[in-house]
PDB file of all heavy atoms in Angstrom:
ATOM      1  N   ASP T   4       0.689   7.312   3.860  1.00  0.00           N
ATOM      2  CA  ASP T   4      -0.089   8.546   3.923  1.00  0.00           C
ATOM      3  C   ASP T   4       0.768   9.768   3.660  1.00  0.00           C
ATOM      4  O   ASP T   4       0.260  10.839   3.320  1.00  0.00           O
ATOM      5  CB  ASP T   4      -0.748   8.669   5.305  1.00  0.00           C
ATOM      6  CG  ASP T   4      -1.775   7.569   5.519  1.00  0.00           C
ATOM      7  OD1 ASP T   4      -2.267   7.037   4.497  1.00  0.00           O
ATOM      8  OD2 ASP T   4      -2.070   7.259   6.677  1.00  0.00           O
ATOM      9  N   ALA T  56      11.204  15.533 -22.650  1.00  0.00           N
ATOM     10  CA  ALA T  56      12.025  14.326 -22.607  1.00  0.00           C
ATOM     11  C   ALA T  56      12.887  14.253 -23.867  1.00  0.00           C
ATOM     12  O   ALA T  56      12.401  14.483 -24.973  1.00  0.00           O
ATOM     13  CB  ALA T  56      11.149  13.091 -22.499  1.00  0.00           C
ATOM     14  N   ASP T 139      45.038 -14.661 -53.340  1.00  0.00           N
ATOM     15  CA  ASP T 139      46.401 -14.926 -53.821  1.00  0.00           C
ATOM     16  C   ASP T 139      46.404 -16.065 -54.834  1.00  0.00           C
ATOM     17  O   ASP T 139      47.114 -16.014 -55.846  1.00  0.00           O
ATOM     18  CB  ASP T 139      47.320 -15.275 -52.643  1.00  0.00           C
ATOM     19  CG  ASP T 139      47.592 -14.070 -51.760  1.00  0.00           C
ATOM     20  OD1 ASP T 139      47.398 -12.942 -52.240  1.00  0.00           O
ATOM     21  OD2 ASP T 139      47.990 -14.266 -50.607  1.00  0.00           O
ATOM     22  N   SER T 145      50.685 -18.149 -62.464  1.00  0.00           N
ATOM     23  CA  SER T 145      50.528 -19.453 -63.094  1.00  0.00           C
ATOM     24  C   SER T 145      49.820 -20.387 -62.133  1.00  0.00           C
ATOM     25  O   SER T 145      50.062 -20.361 -60.924  1.00  0.00           O
ATOM     26  CB  SER T 145      51.898 -20.040 -63.467  1.00  0.00           C
ATOM     27  OG  SER T 145      51.773 -21.400 -63.858  1.00  0.00           O
ATOM     28  N   ALA T 184      51.935 -19.919 -36.608  1.00  0.00           N
ATOM     29  CA  ALA T 184      53.006 -20.917 -36.717  1.00  0.00           C
ATOM     30  C   ALA T 184      53.167 -21.352 -38.157  1.00  0.00           C
ATOM     31  O   ALA T 184      52.202 -21.380 -38.925  1.00  0.00           O
ATOM     32  CB  ALA T 184      52.706 -22.126 -35.835  1.00  0.00           C
ATOM     33  N   ASP T 190      63.902 -16.118 -50.756  1.00  0.00           N
ATOM     34  CA  ASP T 190      63.689 -14.999 -51.664  1.00  0.00           C
ATOM     35  C   ASP T 190      62.961 -15.411 -52.940  1.00  0.00           C
ATOM     36  O   ASP T 190      62.256 -14.597 -53.549  1.00  0.00           O
ATOM     37  CB  ASP T 190      65.027 -14.348 -52.021  1.00  0.00           C
ATOM     38  CG  ASP T 190      65.688 -13.701 -50.806  1.00  0.00           C
ATOM     39  OD1 ASP T 190      64.943 -13.373 -49.856  1.00  0.00           O
ATOM     40  OD2 ASP T 190      66.928 -13.541 -50.807  1.00  0.00           O
ATOM     41  N   VAL T 203      50.404 -12.274 -31.794  1.00  0.00           N
ATOM     42  CA  VAL T 203      49.887 -10.900 -31.880  1.00  0.00           C
ATOM     43  C   VAL T 203      48.726 -10.787 -30.900  1.00  0.00           C
ATOM     44  O   VAL T 203      47.850 -11.665 -30.872  1.00  0.00           O
ATOM     45  CB  VAL T 203      49.381 -10.560 -33.297  1.00  0.00           C
ATOM     46  CG1 VAL T 203      48.955  -9.100 -33.366  1.00  0.00           C
ATOM     47  CG2 VAL T 203      50.433 -10.861 -34.341  1.00  0.00           C
ATOM     48  N   ARG T 242      55.172 -32.975 -28.119  1.00  0.00           N
ATOM     49  CA  ARG T 242      53.755 -33.266 -27.890  1.00  0.00           C
ATOM     50  C   ARG T 242      53.502 -33.625 -26.428  1.00  0.00           C
ATOM     51  O   ARG T 242      52.510 -33.175 -25.838  1.00  0.00           O
ATOM     52  CB  ARG T 242      53.303 -34.401 -28.799  1.00  0.00           C
ATOM     53  CG  ARG T 242      51.858 -34.795 -28.600  1.00  0.00           C
ATOM     54  CD  ARG T 242      51.359 -35.698 -29.697  1.00  0.00           C
ATOM     55  NE  ARG T 242      49.947 -36.019 -29.501  1.00  0.00           N
ATOM     56  CZ  ARG T 242      49.130 -36.347 -30.475  1.00  0.00           C
ATOM     57  NH1 ARG T 242      49.560 -36.399 -31.724  1.00  0.00           N
ATOM     58  NH2 ARG T 242      47.867 -36.642 -30.218  1.00  0.00           N
TER      59      ARG T 242
END
Side-chain angles (χ1 to χ4, degrees):
D4 295 337
D139 290 340
S145 170
D190 295 337
V203 184
R242 178 168 182 154

